[in-house]
Amino acid sequence: MMRWLSFLLFLLFASCTSKKNQKTTDDHFFPVASFLKSQVAAVDSSLNGIVKVLTVYGLSDTQFIKREEFRIYAQDFLTLPDLSSDNLSDNYIETKLYDEELKTVVLNYTPKDQNAEIRRQEVLIKPNDQGADEVQSIYTEQVLESGDSTVQKRLTWHVDERFEIVTIVQEENAPEQIKILRLNWKPHL
């Protein structure tokens, strides 16, 4: 009888341990912040030309920028809050789905508090047969409020290719201002 009781206690303990381990592996969010830092480092070390297109009030200006300037323009991506960190991951819900038409996995992060700074983050990943899945893009909606103005940023990073930042500034009793910044570093053949 004592052996039977010991065996049941062992199974109960093993069951609790495996559930605990399963929960921790399921709770890991995609590390967007570190991924973007590696992308910026790759551009820093590449020899590709970098083209900047800035659109303000519907007028666009295109120019090449120096490699040293790239990090300055990418700063909005580098300073995004890290949703995978221990202090933020509990505040967001991750949903995973597979888009059959695009053959892409979509990781979507939404805040539990609708007034959070990061309102949405989406990572598109293209699985491949060799197990080396490819991140395609990262999209983030960020809202910053200060006094009587709101700044909304829509940041899209297209992996190994380009990024775009749409900044919408809304001040009380004033028309909204929209600025679009695009940087492209993928060589076109």
Side-chain angles (χ1 to χ4, degrees):
M1 184 67 158
M2 191 61 144
R3 279 189 196 175
W4 180 250
L5 185 59
S6 296
F7 180 71
L8 284 175
L9 286 173
F10 171 77
L11 284 178
L12 180 65
F13 176 74
S15 167
C16 290
T17 305
S18 69
K19 284 181 184 173
K20 181 179 176 186
N21 290 340
Q22 180 182 356
K23 184 179 185 295
T24 22
T25 56
D26 287 345
D27 284 345
H28 291 290
F29 287 4
F30 183 83
V32 168
S34 62
F35 182 83
L36 290 172
K37 286 177 185 170
S38 72
Q39 283 281 293
V40 170
V43 175
D44 281 345
S45 63
S46 77
L47 298 176
N48 299 336
I50 303 169
V51 177
K52 176 185 90 166
V53 179
L54 180 62
T55 305
V56 180
Y57 298 116
L59 300 173
S60 295
D61 179 44
T62 303
Q63 64 184 26
F64 280 94
I65 64 164
K66 296 178 184 176
R67 183 150 329 288
E68 301 81 39
E69 295 175 282
F70 179 80
R71 193 171 283 272
I72 295 167
Y73 290 109
Q75 199 61 32
D76 284 336
F77 289 96
L78 296 172
T79 58
L80 283 173
D82 183 5
L83 302 187
S84 68
S85 68
D86 288 340
N87 61 336
L88 284 179
S89 62
D90 288 340
N91 300 330
Y92 286 82
I93 299 168
E94 177 186 66
T95 55
K96 301 174 187 177
L97 62 100
Y98 182 75
D99 186 316
E100 188 66 41
E101 190 173 317
L102 296 174
K103 307 283 188 233
T104 302
V105 174
V106 180
L107 304 177
N108 196 10
Y109 300 96
T110 53
K112 293 176 183 175
D113 174 6
Q114 296 307 309
N115 293 319
E117 177 182 336
I118 301 299
R119 303 287 168 94
R120 179 174 158 214
Q121 196 164 70
E122 188 173 273
V123 181
L124 273 63
I125 302 171
K126 182 84 116 189
N128 76 22
D129 298 338
Q130 290 78 31
D133 301 338
E134 285 183 37
V135 177
Q136 300 291 303
S137 65
I138 297 171
Y139 173 78
T140 305
E141 288 179 12
Q142 180 181 37
V143 176
L144 305 166
E145 296 183 24
S146 175
D148 64 349
S149 67
T150 301
V151 177
Q152 182 183 51
K153 294 187 180 192
R154 298 176 185 158
L155 303 103
T156 308
W157 190 281
H158 298 274
V159 175
D160 298 330
E161 190 175 315
R162 67 185 187 281
F163 74 69
E164 177 179 277
I165 302 171
V166 177
T167 304
I168 303 165
V169 178
Q170 182 66 59
E171 294 179 353
E172 193 173 315
N173 301 322
E176 79 180 5
Q177 303 165 25
I178 301 174
K179 177 177 86 171
I180 303 169
L181 172 67
R182 292 183 188 93
L183 263 68
N184 187 331
W185 58 91
K186 182 179 180 180
H188 296 288
L189 303 174

